Amino acid sequence: MVVPPPPPPPPPPIDSSSSSPSSLLLLAHDRAGEQVPTTLFGRLIALLSATFGILCASLTTATLGNLILFTPAEFSAIAIMEREKARGDLRVIAANMSLLLLLLLVLLPLPVSYTHLTLPTICSV
């Protein structure tokens, strides 16, 4: 007779006050995530240094990105992509407008009086 293995133990509760700064440090590559601060002051210093590092890296990336010059072929490719995106956006807007018109016609029927209309005469007798 085969006995099934016991169920795994439940995971421990997550303490967000200690996991959030540690995950930010792991994502920021500050000290490679090997040393994790345990005191509140250490966590605040680590959080500030990681935030400062992220800001410096993003500013450097943005500055270097602004120095890139495109060739005329790349500009034409960008224009084609923007035109296709605008075409797709226009389709979505047109579909939304037609749906709105349909909803207005169905949900808000306006009273119309046809007594003031006269039929046009094709030939006078």
Side-chain angles (χ1 to χ4, degrees):
M1 178 169 167
V2 177
V3 177
I14 297 174
D15 182 19
S16 64
S17 65
S18 64
S19 64
S20 298
S22 299
S23 64
L24 182 64
L25 289 177
L26 287 172
L27 292 174
H29 299 288
D30 189 19
R31 298 182 187 144
E34 295 173 359
Q35 298 175 353
V36 179
T38 56
T39 64
L40 180 63
F41 182 70
R43 289 179 182 163
L44 289 176
I45 295 297
L47 186 66
L48 289 175
S49 66
T51 305
F52 181 73
I54 290 171
L55 287 175
C56 287
S58 62
L59 285 174
T60 305
T61 304
T63 304
L64 292 175
N66 287 336
L67 296 177
I68 296 174
L69 300 175
F70 292 117
T71 64
E74 291 171 331
F75 275 122
S76 65
I78 290 172
I80 290 171
M81 289 189 303
E82 288 176 355
R83 186 178 67 212
E84 291 300 318
K85 184 181 180 307
R87 183 179 293 164
D89 292 343
L90 187 61
R91 286 181 183 161
V92 170
I93 291 170
N96 287 338
M97 287 179 63
S98 62
L99 181 63
L100 180 64
L101 180 66
L102 180 68
L103 286 175
L104 286 175
L105 290 175
V106 170
L107 297 177
L108 299 174
L110 298 175
V112 178
S113 173
Y114 295 105
T115 58
H116 66 282
L117 297 176
T118 59
L119 294 175
T121 56
I122 297 175
C123 60
S124 60
V125 182

